[in-house]
Amino acid sequence: MNIEDLELELIDAGLEEIEEIDGVIYANADYTNFGLMSQALEVLKIEVTKASLQRIPNTPVEFTEEQLVDIEKLIDKIEDDDDIQSVFHNIA
C-alpha cells in the first residue's frame, strides 16, 4: 500500500498528518482519536513499532539568548528530579 492510499484509509480514524522518513511512516492524530487510529491500523494489518502520546505546543514563544540560558538551567534541574517523567515546553 502506498502512503497516499494509507492516508485515505486513516482519515476516518482521525489522521491529521502522515509522513515518510527513511522508509518509516509516521502518522499523527489527536489524542482523543488514539483508540480509533489503533483499531484502523489493526484492521489494515499494519504492524506498529511504537505508539506514544506527545504534547505539541500551539503557541511557540521566542526568548533572548540570555533568557534561554536561565530557562535551560531550570529545565535541567527539573529533569534531574527522579519523580519527573517528562518535561514539555513551548520554546520556539
Side-chain angles (χ1 to χ4, degrees), residues 80-86:
D80 287 342
D81 188 330
D82 291 337
D83 293 333
I84 303 296
Q85 294 177 357
S86 298

Side-chain angles (χ1 to χ4, degrees), residues 3 6 17-28 49 54:
I3 194 165
L6 180 60
E17 181 181 356
I18 190 168
E19 62 182 329
E20 182 178 358
I21 301 173
D22 298 330
V24 177
I25 295 176
Y26 296 89
N28 297 317
T49 55
Q54 297 179 347

Side-chain angles (χ1 to χ4, degrees), residues 1-20:
M1 177 180 292
N2 66 34
I3 194 165
E4 289 84 17
D5 292 338
L6 180 60
E7 182 176 17
L8 291 174
E9 291 289 332
L10 295 178
I11 285 177
D12 289 337
L15 179 73
E16 290 183 358
E17 181 181 356
I18 190 168
E19 62 182 329
E20 182 178 358

Side-chain angles (χ1 to χ4, degrees), residues 46-57:
I46 295 175
E47 180 184 345
V48 177
T49 55
K50 182 180 178 184
S52 64
L53 298 174
Q54 297 179 347
R55 294 188 182 268
I56 300 172

